[in-house]
């Protein structure tokens, strides 16, 4: 495993990490989750990602039970949660979601309880909240840090200007700004990491724990000939994702990329994950594997990483046509 510094912090994250979003939502018992987490940990994965909203709190409970059972040394892994969406679904009341001090503090306490730990290493604002002053968010996250309940705080899918505003308030108040962002990053979605955040990487330094490196599985090629039974796109409740992802224009590019992976002698998922972590501004790619065989495959991305040369990247850009265009003034 390769370990990378999370932006300018001293925290080291494994370049490949493990997330529980849809993965845990599909399990009715803890056994598969336990096997997947143990497999990841044994391969050197040290970061496990979660959120209050995943399976309405059940994902944190499952991970908490598995962590307790596996009984790893708490200092050997990094654990996260995220707040914003709440976990009470459609029944949620005004202060049971969002980024107010009330919800962030309460959601943190609930996450600690569900995960059965004393502190979170990373705590994210899962989305920006236009109804809460960013200054309030900065102050609250710093209170949680001072209370020892979280070690670092971050954002997820915030715009570059929102992140900069948080840093500005933090600087004015002598507090800590967000040290990590969690954006989507894959061969279909590149602009935030490659263009929008460029000034932040340069001027402030920020780690990134990127999500959906395989675009929810599309970039494995598994949807090229239809929707396999049991796959994420076949699940009830994920029709919105299927309609957005499984479209001919994207599938044609995935097929062409698959041919290129064959030419290189590597699998398509490993090529796509290796491409993500070949970006030096990516600290870690969070894997969403639901089976041990998928995880075994995806972890091989580290072996493929040295093959991602400038020429290979150029060829990938040509096939995908998704390299963001930057208009210089
Ligand atoms: P991926 O893009 O890697 O998609 C994972 C899906 O792809 C799996 O469910 C699996 O699907 C399929 N898959 C993975 N590997 C293979 C393989 N080798 N062969 C075939 N199919 C494969 O990641 P996720 O979208 O799951 O995101 C990863 C993590 O990122 C999440 O768990 C979560 O922690 C985080 N996240 C954060 C978000 C945020 O807003 N901050 C949003 C979304 C995710 P199948 O079900 O078909 O088996």
């Amino acid at each position: 495993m390769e370990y990378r510094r999370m932006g300018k912090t001293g925290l080291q994250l494994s370049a490949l990490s493990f997330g529980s979003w849809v993965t845990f939502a599909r399990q009715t018992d803890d056994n598969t989750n336990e096997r997947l987490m143990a497999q990841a940990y044994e391969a050197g994965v040290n970061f496990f990602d979660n959120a209050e909203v995943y399976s309405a709190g059940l994902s944190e409970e499952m991970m908490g039970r598995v962590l307790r059972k596996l009984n790893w040394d708490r200092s050997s892994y990094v654990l996260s949660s995220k707040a914003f969406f709440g976990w009470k679904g459609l029944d949620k009341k005004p202060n049971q979601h969002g980024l107010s001090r009330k919800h962030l503090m309460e959601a943190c306490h609930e996450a600690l309880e569900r995960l059965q730990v004393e502190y979170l290493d990373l705590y994210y604002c899962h989305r920006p909240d236009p109804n809460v002053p960013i200054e309030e968010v900065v102050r609250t996250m710093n209170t949680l840090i001072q209370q020892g309940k979280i070690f670092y705080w971050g954002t997820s899918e915030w715009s570059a200007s929102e992140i900069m505003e948080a840093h500005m308030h933090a600087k004015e108040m002598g507090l800590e700004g967000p040290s990590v962002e969690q954006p989507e990053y894959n061969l279909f979605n590149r602009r935030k990491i490659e263009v929008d955040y460029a000034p932040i990487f340069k001027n402030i330094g920020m780690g990134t724990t990127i999500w959906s490196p395989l675009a929810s599985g599309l970039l494995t090629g598994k949807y090229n000939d239809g929707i396999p039974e049991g796959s994420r796109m076949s699940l009830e409740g994920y029709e919105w994702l299927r309609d957005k992802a499984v479209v001919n224009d994207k599938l044609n590019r995935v097929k062409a990329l698959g041919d290129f992976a064959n030419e290189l002698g590597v699998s398509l998922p490993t090529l796509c994950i290796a491409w993500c972590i070949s970006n030096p501004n990516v600290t870690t790619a969070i894997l969403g594997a639901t089976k041990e065989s998928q995880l075994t495959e995806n972890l091989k991305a580290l072996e493929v990483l040295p093959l991602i040369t400038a020429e290979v990247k150029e060829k990938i850009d040509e096939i995908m046509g998704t390299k963001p265009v930057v208009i210089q003034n």
Side-chain angles (χ1 to χ4, degrees):
M1 183 53 69
E2 179 188 329
Y3 297 91
R4 298 179 176 183
R5 256 180 85 184
M6 190 181 80
K8 283 207 168 150
T9 73
L11 188 70
Q12 302 271 344
L13 298 184
S14 49
L16 299 176
S17 44
F18 182 86
S20 67
W21 176 38
V22 190
T23 306
F24 280 21
R26 303 175 56 180
Q27 312 300 345
T28 47
D29 64 62
D30 293 346
N31 297 339
T32 312
N33 300 334
E34 183 185 328
R35 283 199 302 274
L36 287 168
M37 282 179 64
Q39 184 187 354
Y41 184 80
E42 276 154 29
V45 166
N46 75 349
F47 169 41
F48 296 86
D49 185 59
N50 220 316
E52 59 167 357
V53 70
Y54 295 166
S55 308
L58 293 180
S59 174
E60 289 179 334
E61 282 181 13
M62 284 186 210
M63 197 174 266
R65 285 195 300 271
V66 171
L67 286 171
R68 179 151 276 242
K69 179 142 182 243
L70 292 170
N71 199 25
W72 300 326
D73 191 332
R74 180 66 185 89
S75 57
S76 68
Y77 63 91
V78 172
L79 189 61
S80 74
S81 184
K82 312 183 205 80
F84 172 75
F85 293 104
W87 59 275
K88 291 179 188 269
L90 296 176
D91 291 336
K92 63 182 173 240
K93 296 187 166 48
N95 292 314
Q96 292 177 330
H97 62 111
L99 299 181
S100 66
R101 171 172 293 123
K102 180 168 170 63
H103 185 63
L104 283 180
M105 301 288 281
E106 289 174 349
C108 180
H109 293 158
E110 287 166 343
L112 293 175
E113 218 164 278
R114 287 192 287 251
L115 287 161
Q116 303 187 48
V117 290
E118 284 176 12
Y119 59 87
L120 297 170
D121 302 275
L122 307 180
Y123 193 40
Y124 295 91
C125 299
H126 210 157
R127 290 292 181 270
D129 186 344
N131 296 314
V132 176
I134 288 181
E135 187 179 335
E136 178 174 333
V137 175
V138 175
R139 284 185 190 276
T140 308
M141 287 304 205
N142 278 265
T143 302
L144 287 169
I145 291 174
Q146 280 148 20
Q147 291 177 342
K149 289 175 184 154
I150 65 170
F151 289 172
Y152 301 90
W153 78 277
T155 56
S156 179
E157 296 294 342
W158 281 32
S159 69
S161 61
E162 287 159 341
I163 296 170
M164 286 310 289
E165 190 183 330
H167 277 284
M168 193 191 73
H169 288 304
K171 198 166 180 201
E172 276 168 10
M173 299 185 287
L175 298 175
E176 288 192 34
S179 47
V180 61
E181 158 58 48
Q182 188 169 128
E184 181 178 7
Y185 186 55
N186 55 52
L187 275 163
F188 282 115
N189 197 333
R190 302 174 53 170
R191 179 160 280 277
K192 267 208 169 101
I193 285 258
E194 293 181 29
V195 182
D196 297 357
Y197 296 156
I200 306 179
F201 294 134
K202 186 164 168 244
N203 300 321
I204 295 190
M206 179 176 69
T208 61
T209 58
I210 64 115
W211 58 269
S212 285
L214 294 173
S216 277
L218 192 68
L219 286 163
T220 64
K222 72 194 296 172
Y223 296 108
N224 287 357
D225 302 311
I227 315 272
E229 207 177 306
S231 62
R232 180 178 293 183
M233 303 295 175
S234 75
L235 300 178
E236 210 185 308
Y238 291 87
E239 295 80 6
W240 59 273
L241 188 60
R242 185 189 59 216
D243 295 345
K244 190 174 80 153
V246 190
V247 292
N248 281 337
D249 163 53
K250 287 188 176 174
L251 293 177
N252 289 338
R253 287 183 271 172
V254 173
K255 284 176 195 166
L257 194 63
D259 293 341
F260 181 53
N262 280 340
E263 270 175 48
L264 289 172
V266 301
S267 75
L268 185 55
T270 54
L271 180 69
C272 294
I273 295 167
W275 176 88
C276 290
I277 58 172
S278 73
N279 184 324
N281 291 317
V282 170
T283 313
T284 182
I286 312 176
L287 305 177
T290 58
K291 297 185 181 74
E292 287 151 286
S293 55
Q294 292 177 358
L295 194 52
T296 304
E297 181 63 28
N298 297 354
L299 288 165
K300 287 188 196 145
L302 284 168
E303 293 161 31
V304 175
L305 185 56
L307 302 182
I308 313 293
T309 58
E311 293 74 37
V312 165
K313 284 187 176 184
E314 225 169 89
K315 181 72 187 167
I316 291 175
D317 290 344
E318 213 175 279
I319 294 168
M320 296 300 291
T322 50
K323 185 174 178 178
V325 178
V326 184
I327 298 159
Q328 306 281 4
N329 291 323

